[in-house]
PDB file of all heavy atoms in Angstrom:
ATOM      1  N   PRO A  51      79.698  25.797 -20.525  1.00 94.00           N
ATOM      2  CA  PRO A  51      78.554  24.900 -20.438  1.00 94.00           C
ATOM      3  C   PRO A  51      78.579  23.978 -19.228  1.00 94.00           C
ATOM      4  O   PRO A  51      77.528  23.692 -18.642  1.00 94.00           O
ATOM      5  CB  PRO A  51      78.655  24.099 -21.748  1.00 94.00           C
ATOM      6  CG  PRO A  51      79.281  25.048 -22.711  1.00 94.00           C
ATOM      7  CD  PRO A  51      80.284  25.819 -21.871  1.00 94.00           C
ATOM      8  N   VAL A  52      79.758  23.506 -18.831  1.00 96.00           N
ATOM      9  CA  VAL A  52      79.831  22.654 -17.641  1.00 96.00           C
ATOM     10  C   VAL A  52      79.367  23.432 -16.407  1.00 96.00           C
ATOM     11  O   VAL A  52      78.579  22.935 -15.597  1.00 96.00           O
ATOM     12  CB  VAL A  52      81.264  22.121 -17.442  1.00 96.00           C
ATOM     13  CG1 VAL A  52      81.379  21.387 -16.103  1.00 96.00           C
ATOM     14  CG2 VAL A  52      81.649  21.178 -18.574  1.00 96.00           C
ATOM     15  N   CYS A  53      79.835  24.673 -16.281  1.00 97.00           N
ATOM     16  CA  CYS A  53      79.410  25.509 -15.146  1.00 97.00           C
ATOM     17  C   CYS A  53      77.913  25.791 -15.202  1.00 97.00           C
ATOM     18  O   CYS A  53      77.227  25.804 -14.173  1.00 97.00           O
ATOM     19  CB  CYS A  53      80.189  26.816 -15.142  1.00 97.00           C
ATOM     20  SG  CYS A  53      81.957  26.642 -14.780  1.00 97.00           S
ATOM     21  N   LEU A  54      77.389  26.035 -16.410  1.00 96.00           N
ATOM     22  CA  LEU A  54      75.951  26.288 -16.555  1.00 96.00           C
ATOM     23  C   LEU A  54      75.137  25.069 -16.142  1.00 96.00           C
ATOM     24  O   LEU A  54      74.081  25.200 -15.507  1.00 96.00           O
ATOM     25  CB  LEU A  54      75.630  26.672 -17.995  1.00 96.00           C
ATOM     26  CG  LEU A  54      76.072  28.070 -18.438  1.00 96.00           C
ATOM     27  CD1 LEU A  54      75.872  28.229 -19.942  1.00 96.00           C
ATOM     28  CD2 LEU A  54      75.292  29.149 -17.694  1.00 96.00           C
ATOM     29  N   GLU A  55      75.612  23.877 -16.499  1.00 96.00           N
ATOM     30  CA  GLU A  55      74.910  22.660 -16.104  1.00 96.00           C
ATOM     31  C   GLU A  55      74.858  22.536 -14.583  1.00 96.00           C
ATOM     32  O   GLU A  55      73.823  22.157 -14.019  1.00 96.00           O
ATOM     33  CB  GLU A  55      75.611  21.438 -16.706  1.00 96.00           C
ATOM     34  CG  GLU A  55      75.420  21.260 -18.200  1.00 96.00           C
ATOM     35  CD  GLU A  55      74.060  20.687 -18.536  1.00 96.00           C
ATOM     36  OE1 GLU A  55      73.923  19.458 -18.601  1.00 96.00           O
ATOM     37  OE2 GLU A  55      73.118  21.499 -18.721  1.00 96.00           O
ATOM     38  N   VAL A  56      75.951  22.855 -13.925  1.00 97.00           N
ATOM     39  CA  VAL A  56      75.973  22.790 -12.461  1.00 97.00           C
ATOM     40  C   VAL A  56      75.023  23.824 -11.873  1.00 97.00           C
ATOM     41  O   VAL A  56      74.260  23.540 -10.943  1.00 97.00           O
ATOM     42  CB  VAL A  56      77.402  22.993 -11.929  1.00 97.00           C
ATOM     43  CG1 VAL A  56      77.389  23.092 -10.403  1.00 97.00           C
ATOM     44  CG2 VAL A  56      78.316  21.864 -12.379  1.00 97.00           C
ATOM     45  N   ALA A  57      75.039  25.039 -12.421  1.00 97.00           N
ATOM     46  CA  ALA A  57      74.174  26.103 -11.898  1.00 97.00           C
ATOM     47  C   ALA A  57      72.704  25.758 -12.061  1.00 97.00           C
ATOM     48  O   ALA A  57      71.878  26.054 -11.176  1.00 97.00           O
ATOM     49  CB  ALA A  57      74.492  27.421 -12.602  1.00 97.00           C
ATOM     50  N   HIS A  58      72.340  25.159 -13.192  1.00 95.00           N
ATOM     51  CA  HIS A  58      70.940  24.792 -13.414  1.00 95.00           C
ATOM     52  C   HIS A  58      70.524  23.597 -12.551  1.00 95.00           C
ATOM     53  O   HIS A  58      69.368  23.520 -12.116  1.00 95.00           O
ATOM     54  CB  HIS A  58      70.715  24.468 -14.890  1.00 95.00           C
ATOM     55  CG  HIS A  58      70.521  25.673 -15.748  1.00 95.00           C
ATOM     56  ND1 HIS A  58      69.288  26.244 -15.980  1.00 95.00           N
ATOM     57  CD2 HIS A  58      71.420  26.431 -16.432  1.00 95.00           C
ATOM     58  CE1 HIS A  58      69.427  27.298 -16.767  1.00 95.00           C
ATOM     59  NE2 HIS A  58      70.705  27.432 -17.056  1.00 95.00           N
ATOM     60  N   GLY A  59      71.460  22.678 -12.309  1.00 95.00           N
ATOM     61  CA  GLY A  59      71.108  21.463 -11.573  1.00 95.00           C
ATOM     62  C   GLY A  59      71.276  21.572 -10.074  1.00 95.00           C
ATOM     63  O   GLY A  59      70.668  20.801  -9.330  1.00 95.00           O
ATOM     64  N   ALA A  60      72.119  22.505  -9.617  1.00 96.00           N
ATOM     65  CA  ALA A  60      72.388  22.631  -8.174  1.00 96.00           C
ATOM     66  C   ALA A  60      72.614  24.096  -7.834  1.00 96.00           C
ATOM     67  O   ALA A  60      73.692  24.481  -7.384  1.00 96.00           O
ATOM     68  CB  ALA A  60      73.596  21.781  -7.791  1.00 96.00           C
ATOM     69  N   ARG A  61      71.596  24.913  -8.015  1.00 95.00           N
ATOM     70  CA  ARG A  61      71.758  26.367  -7.863  1.00 95.00           C
ATOM     71  C   ARG A  61      72.142  26.770  -6.454  1.00 95.00           C
ATOM     72  O   ARG A  61      72.768  27.809  -6.252  1.00 95.00           O
ATOM     73  CB  ARG A  61      70.479  27.099  -8.289  1.00 95.00           C
ATOM     74  CG  ARG A  61      69.257  26.805  -7.442  1.00 95.00           C
ATOM     75  CD  ARG A  61      68.060  27.644  -7.866  1.00 95.00           C
ATOM     76  NE  ARG A  61      68.278  29.065  -7.679  1.00 95.00           N
ATOM     77  CZ  ARG A  61      67.386  30.009  -7.980  1.00 95.00           C
ATOM     78  NH1 ARG A  61      66.225  29.664  -8.520  1.00 95.00           N
ATOM     79  NH2 ARG A  61      67.634  31.280  -7.754  1.00 95.00           N
ATOM     80  N   ASP A  62      71.799  25.964  -5.462  1.00 97.00           N
ATOM     81  CA  ASP A  62      72.155  26.301  -4.090  1.00 97.00           C
ATOM     82  C   ASP A  62      73.653  26.179  -3.829  1.00 97.00           C
ATOM     83  O   ASP A  62      74.152  26.724  -2.838  1.00 97.00           O
ATOM     84  CB  ASP A  62      71.391  25.408  -3.106  1.00 97.00           C
ATOM     85  CG  ASP A  62      71.671  23.926  -3.332  1.00 97.00           C
ATOM     86  OD1 ASP A  62      71.663  23.508  -4.508  1.00 97.00           O
ATOM     87  OD2 ASP A  62      71.885  23.205  -2.338  1.00 97.00           O
ATOM     88  N   ARG A  63      74.374  25.519  -4.739  1.00 97.00           N
ATOM     89  CA  ARG A  63      75.821  25.357  -4.580  1.00 97.00           C
ATOM     90  C   ARG A  63      76.610  26.456  -5.295  1.00 97.00           C
ATOM     91  O   ARG A  63      77.828  26.530  -5.146  1.00 97.00           O
ATOM     92  CB  ARG A  63      76.266  24.001  -5.152  1.00 97.00           C
ATOM     93  CG  ARG A  63      75.552  22.794  -4.606  1.00 97.00           C
ATOM     94  CD  ARG A  63      75.892  22.549  -3.165  1.00 97.00           C
ATOM     95  NE  ARG A  63      77.313  22.302  -2.954  1.00 97.00           N
ATOM     96  CZ  ARG A  63      77.889  21.099  -3.120  1.00 97.00           C
ATOM     97  NH1 ARG A  63      77.146  20.051  -3.485  1.00 97.00           N
ATOM     98  NH2 ARG A  63      79.173  20.943  -2.884  1.00 97.00           N
ATOM     99  N   VAL A  64      75.911  27.278  -6.090  1.00 98.00           N
ATOM    100  CA  VAL A  64      76.596  28.225  -6.971  1.00 98.00           C
ATOM    101  C   VAL A  64      76.183  29.655  -6.622  1.00 98.00           C
ATOM    102  O   VAL A  64      75.018  30.033  -6.759  1.00 98.00           O
ATOM    103  CB  VAL A  64      76.282  27.931  -8.453  1.00 98.00           C
ATOM    104  CG1 VAL A  64      77.034  28.899  -9.360  1.00 98.00           C
ATOM    105  CG2 VAL A  64      76.652  26.490  -8.801  1.00 98.00           C
ATOM    106  N   ALA A  65      77.160  30.459  -6.185  1.00 97.00           N
ATOM    107  CA  ALA A  65      76.894  31.867  -5.882  1.00 97.00           C
ATOM    108  C   ALA A  65      76.881  32.720  -7.142  1.00 97.00           C
ATOM    109  O   ALA A  65      76.251  33.781  -7.181  1.00 97.00           O
ATOM    110  CB  ALA A  65      77.934  32.395  -4.909  1.00 97.00           C
ATOM    111  N   GLY A  66      77.574  32.284  -8.180  1.00 97.00           N
ATOM    112  CA  GLY A  66      77.629  33.022  -9.432  1.00 97.00           C
ATOM    113  C   GLY A  66      78.434  32.250 -10.455  1.00 97.00           C
ATOM    114  O   GLY A  66      79.187  31.326 -10.115  1.00 97.00           O
ATOM    115  N   VAL A  67      78.264  32.608 -11.716  1.00 98.00           N
ATOM    116  CA  VAL A  67      78.964  31.941 -12.810  1.00 98.00           C
ATOM    117  C   VAL A  67      79.640  32.992 -13.681  1.00 98.00           C
ATOM    118  O   VAL A  67      79.019  34.000 -14.045  1.00 98.00           O
ATOM    119  CB  VAL A  67      78.007  31.093 -13.670  1.00 98.00           C
ATOM    120  CG1 VAL A  67      78.719  30.570 -14.916  1.00 98.00           C
ATOM    121  CG2 VAL A  67      77.441  29.931 -12.878  1.00 98.00           C
ATOM    122  N   VAL A  68      80.906  32.742 -14.025  1.00 98.00           N
ATOM    123  CA  VAL A  68      81.632  33.583 -14.976  1.00 98.00           C
ATOM    124  C   VAL A  68      81.920  32.743 -16.211  1.00 98.00           C
ATOM    125  O   VAL A  68      82.547  31.680 -16.121  1.00 98.00           O
ATOM    126  CB  VAL A  68      82.951  34.114 -14.384  1.00 98.00           C
ATOM    127  CG1 VAL A  68      83.700  34.943 -15.431  1.00 98.00           C
ATOM    128  CG2 VAL A  68      82.685  34.943 -13.133  1.00 98.00           C
ATOM    129  N   LEU A  69      81.442  33.204 -17.353  1.00 96.00           N
ATOM    130  CA  LEU A  69      81.614  32.493 -18.613  1.00 96.00           C
ATOM    131  C   LEU A  69      82.608  33.267 -19.472  1.00 96.00           C
ATOM    132  O   LEU A  69      82.271  34.302 -20.041  1.00 96.00           O
ATOM    133  CB  LEU A  69      80.270  32.369 -19.335  1.00 96.00           C
ATOM    134  CG  LEU A  69      79.116  31.766 -18.516  1.00 96.00           C
ATOM    135  CD1 LEU A  69      77.809  31.924 -19.265  1.00 96.00           C
ATOM    136  CD2 LEU A  69      79.400  30.301 -18.209  1.00 96.00           C
ATOM    137  N   ALA A  70      83.844  32.800 -19.544  1.00 96.00           N
ATOM    138  CA  ALA A  70      84.869  33.428 -20.370  1.00 96.00           C
ATOM    139  C   ALA A  70      84.898  32.717 -21.721  1.00 96.00           C
ATOM    140  O   ALA A  70      85.323  31.567 -21.814  1.00 96.00           O
ATOM    141  CB  ALA A  70      86.228  33.342 -19.688  1.00 96.00           C
ATOM    142  N   SER A  71      84.385  33.375 -22.761  1.00 93.00           N
ATOM    143  CA  SER A  71      84.292  32.777 -24.096  1.00 93.00           C
ATOM    144  C   SER A  71      83.516  31.460 -24.064  1.00 93.00           C
ATOM    145  O   SER A  71      84.038  30.410 -24.441  1.00 93.00           O
ATOM    146  CB  SER A  71      85.686  32.536 -24.683  1.00 93.00           C
ATOM    147  OG  SER A  71      86.489  33.681 -24.652  1.00 93.00           O
ATOM    148  N   PRO A  72      82.263  31.475 -23.602  1.00 90.00           N
ATOM    149  CA  PRO A  72      81.512  30.216 -23.523  1.00 90.00           C
ATOM    150  C   PRO A  72      81.222  29.648 -24.907  1.00 90.00           C
ATOM    151  O   PRO A  72      80.731  30.340 -25.790  1.00 90.00           O
ATOM    152  CB  PRO A  72      80.222  30.631 -22.808  1.00 90.00           C
ATOM    153  CG  PRO A  72      80.060  32.085 -23.152  1.00 90.00           C
ATOM    154  CD  PRO A  72      81.454  32.637 -23.225  1.00 90.00           C
ATOM    155  N   ALA A  73      81.545  28.378 -25.115  1.00 85.00           N
ATOM    156  CA  ALA A  73      81.346  27.743 -26.416  1.00 85.00           C
ATOM    157  C   ALA A  73      79.946  27.146 -26.512  1.00 85.00           C
ATOM    158  O   ALA A  73      79.233  26.995 -25.523  1.00 85.00           O
ATOM    159  CB  ALA A  73      82.402  26.668 -26.634  1.00 85.00           C
ATOM    160  N   GLY A  74      79.565  26.785 -27.747  1.00 78.00           N
ATOM    161  CA  GLY A  74      78.283  26.138 -27.991  1.00 78.00           C
ATOM    162  C   GLY A  74      77.241  27.092 -28.522  1.00 78.00           C
ATOM    163  O   GLY A  74      77.384  28.316 -28.443  1.00 78.00           O
ATOM    164  N   GLY A  75      76.201  26.533 -29.103  1.00 72.00           N
ATOM    165  CA  GLY A  75      75.110  27.351 -29.611  1.00 72.00           C
ATOM    166  C   GLY A  75      75.114  27.484 -31.120  1.00 72.00           C
ATOM    167  O   GLY A  75      75.963  26.932 -31.830  1.00 72.00           O
ATOM    168  N   MET A  76      74.146  28.244 -31.640  1.00 68.00           N
ATOM    169  CA  MET A  76      73.925  28.357 -33.071  1.00 68.00           C
ATOM    170  C   MET A  76      75.129  28.908 -33.816  1.00 68.00           C
ATOM    171  O   MET A  76      75.401  28.525 -34.955  1.00 68.00           O
ATOM    172  CB  MET A  76      72.703  29.246 -33.342  1.00 68.00           C
ATOM    173  CG  MET A  76      71.378  28.638 -32.908  1.00 68.00           C
ATOM    174  SD  MET A  76      71.002  27.102 -33.794  1.00 68.00           S
ATOM    175  CE  MET A  76      70.874  27.728 -35.479  1.00 68.00           C
ATOM    176  N   HIS A  77      75.883  29.811 -33.201  1.00 73.00           N
ATOM    177  CA  HIS A  77      77.019  30.419 -33.903  1.00 73.00           C
ATOM    178  C   HIS A  77      78.097  29.394 -34.225  1.00 73.00           C
ATOM    179  O   HIS A  77      78.900  29.601 -35.142  1.00 73.00           O
ATOM    180  CB  HIS A  77      77.612  31.549 -33.060  1.00 73.00           C
ATOM    181  CG  HIS A  77      78.731  32.275 -33.729  1.00 73.00           C
ATOM    182  ND1 HIS A  77      78.550  33.042 -34.867  1.00 73.00           N
ATOM    183  CD2 HIS A  77      80.068  32.344 -33.437  1.00 73.00           C
ATOM    184  CE1 HIS A  77      79.715  33.549 -35.244  1.00 73.00           C
ATOM    185  NE2 HIS A  77      80.645  33.144 -34.397  1.00 73.00           N
ATOM    186  N   ASN A  78      78.141  28.276 -33.481  1.00 72.00           N
ATOM    187  CA  ASN A  78      79.138  27.233 -33.723  1.00 72.00           C
ATOM    188  C   ASN A  78      78.598  26.064 -34.530  1.00 72.00           C
ATOM    189  O   ASN A  78      79.257  25.022 -34.619  1.00 72.00           O
ATOM    190  CB  ASN A  78      79.672  26.709 -32.377  1.00 72.00           C
ATOM    191  CG  ASN A  78      80.355  27.773 -31.546  1.00 72.00           C
ATOM    192  OD1 ASN A  78      80.226  27.782 -30.331  1.00 72.00           O
ATOM    193  ND2 ASN A  78      81.074  28.695 -32.177  1.00 72.00           N
ATOM    194  N   GLN A  79      77.426  26.204 -35.115  1.00 71.00           N
ATOM    195  CA  GLN A  79      76.836  25.110 -35.877  1.00 71.00           C
ATOM    196  C   GLN A  79      76.796  25.461 -37.368  1.00 71.00           C
ATOM    197  O   GLN A  79      76.688  26.633 -37.733  1.00 71.00           O
ATOM    198  CB  GLN A  79      75.419  24.827 -35.363  1.00 71.00           C
ATOM    199  CG  GLN A  79      75.371  24.381 -33.911  1.00 71.00           C
ATOM    200  CD  GLN A  79      73.941  24.252 -33.399  1.00 71.00           C
ATOM    201  OE1 GLN A  79      72.977  24.374 -34.144  1.00 71.00           O
ATOM    202  NE2 GLN A  79      73.805  24.016 -32.106  1.00 71.00           N
ATOM    203  N   PRO A  80      76.905  24.419 -38.235  1.00 72.00           N
ATOM    204  CA  PRO A  80      77.139  23.005 -37.947  1.00 72.00           C
ATOM    205  C   PRO A  80      78.595  22.730 -37.572  1.00 72.00           C
ATOM    206  O   PRO A  80      79.415  23.656 -37.540  1.00 72.00           O
ATOM    207  CB  PRO A  80      76.778  22.322 -39.272  1.00 72.00           C
ATOM    208  CG  PRO A  80      77.104  23.360 -40.308  1.00 72.00           C
ATOM    209  CD  PRO A  80      76.769  24.687 -39.677  1.00 72.00           C
ATOM    210  N   LEU A  81      78.913  21.466 -37.315  1.00 71.00           N
ATOM    211  CA  LEU A  81      80.244  21.095 -36.835  1.00 71.00           C
ATOM    212  C   LEU A  81      81.361  21.578 -37.756  1.00 71.00           C
ATOM    213  O   LEU A  81      82.375  22.103 -37.255  1.00 71.00           O
ATOM    214  CB  LEU A  81      80.323  19.582 -36.631  1.00 71.00           C
ATOM    215  CG  LEU A  81      81.681  19.042 -36.158  1.00 71.00           C
ATOM    216  CD1 LEU A  81      82.083  19.671 -34.839  1.00 71.00           C
ATOM    217  CD2 LEU A  81      81.623  17.516 -36.037  1.00 71.00           C
ATOM    218  N   PRO A  82      81.272  21.433 -39.090  1.00 76.00           N
ATOM    219  CA  PRO A  82      82.370  21.929 -39.936  1.00 76.00           C
ATOM    220  C   PRO A  82      82.637  23.423 -39.745  1.00 76.00           C
ATOM    221  O   PRO A  82      83.797  23.857 -39.774  1.00 76.00           O
ATOM    222  CB  PRO A  82      81.876  21.628 -41.361  1.00 76.00           C
ATOM    223  CG  PRO A  82      80.967  20.454 -41.195  1.00 76.00           C
ATOM    224  CD  PRO A  82      80.270  20.692 -39.889  1.00 76.00           C
ATOM    225  N   ARG A  83      81.600  24.202 -39.528  1.00 79.00           N
ATOM    226  CA  ARG A  83      81.786  25.628 -39.284  1.00 79.00           C
ATOM    227  C   ARG A  83      82.565  25.855 -37.998  1.00 79.00           C
ATOM    228  O   ARG A  83      83.480  26.689 -37.945  1.00 79.00           O
ATOM    229  CB  ARG A  83      80.427  26.321 -39.198  1.00 79.00           C
ATOM    230  CG  ARG A  83      80.495  27.813 -38.899  1.00 79.00           C
ATOM    231  CD  ARG A  83      79.100  28.393 -38.751  1.00 79.00           C
ATOM    232  NE  ARG A  83      79.139  29.835 -38.537  1.00 79.00           N
ATOM    233  CZ  ARG A  83      78.061  30.582 -38.316  1.00 79.00           C
ATOM    234  NH1 ARG A  83      76.852  30.014 -38.311  1.00 79.00           N
ATOM    235  NH2 ARG A  83      78.171  31.887 -38.129  1.00 79.00           N
ATOM    236  N   ALA A  84      82.231  25.084 -36.960  1.00 75.00           N
ATOM    237  CA  ALA A  84      82.929  25.223 -35.683  1.00 75.00           C
ATOM    238  C   ALA A  84      84.402  24.830 -35.815  1.00 75.00           C
ATOM    239  O   ALA A  84      85.274  25.446 -35.201  1.00 75.00           O
ATOM    240  CB  ALA A  84      82.242  24.373 -34.621  1.00 75.00           C
ATOM    241  N   LEU A  85      84.687  23.806 -36.617  1.00 80.00           N
ATOM    242  CA  LEU A  85      86.073  23.393 -36.811  1.00 80.00           C
ATOM    243  C   LEU A  85      86.878  24.478 -37.511  1.00 80.00           C
ATOM    244  O   LEU A  85      88.055  24.702 -37.192  1.00 80.00           O
ATOM    245  CB  LEU A  85      86.117  22.085 -37.597  1.00 80.00           C
ATOM    246  CG  LEU A  85      85.569  20.846 -36.864  1.00 80.00           C
ATOM    247  CD1 LEU A  85      85.509  19.653 -37.805  1.00 80.00           C
ATOM    248  CD2 LEU A  85      86.422  20.528 -35.640  1.00 80.00           C
ATOM    249  N   VAL A  86      86.259  25.159 -38.480  1.00 85.00           N
ATOM    250  CA  VAL A  86      86.927  26.277 -39.155  1.00 85.00           C
ATOM    251  C   VAL A  86      87.176  27.409 -38.166  1.00 85.00           C
ATOM    252  O   VAL A  86      88.256  28.019 -38.144  1.00 85.00           O
ATOM    253  CB  VAL A  86      86.094  26.764 -40.351  1.00 85.00           C
ATOM    254  CG1 VAL A  86      86.663  28.065 -40.920  1.00 85.00           C
ATOM    255  CG2 VAL A  86      86.046  25.701 -41.442  1.00 85.00           C
ATOM    256  N   GLN A  87      86.189  27.702 -37.329  1.00 84.00           N
ATOM    257  CA  GLN A  87      86.360  28.745 -36.310  1.00 84.00           C
ATOM    258  C   GLN A  87      87.509  28.402 -35.368  1.00 84.00           C
ATOM    259  O   GLN A  87      88.324  29.271 -35.016  1.00 84.00           O
ATOM    260  CB  GLN A  87      85.059  28.913 -35.514  1.00 84.00           C
ATOM    261  CG  GLN A  87      83.897  29.466 -36.322  1.00 84.00           C
ATOM    262  CD  GLN A  87      82.574  29.360 -35.567  1.00 84.00           C
ATOM    263  OE1 GLN A  87      82.435  28.559 -34.645  1.00 84.00           O
ATOM    264  NE2 GLN A  87      81.610  30.155 -35.972  1.00 84.00           N
TER     265      GLN A  87
END
């Protein structure tokens, strides 16, 4: 997500993004479910 924020906010600085196991999103919600994961 940090890399995605940079890519969306400053795309001219980013040639590409590699997301290795990117966290966040519906699969990790709600918080107790994410803690179990």
Side-chain angles (χ1 to χ4, degrees):
V52 173
C53 292
L54 287 172
E55 287 282 270
V56 173
H58 279 271
R61 64 176 297 180
D62 59 315
R63 305 292 299 277
V64 182
V67 172
V68 178
L69 307 170
S71 308
M76 292 298 297
H77 183 66
N78 299 143
Q79 298 174 7
L81 179 59
R83 178 183 183 183
L85 292 173
V86 171
Q87 293 169 339

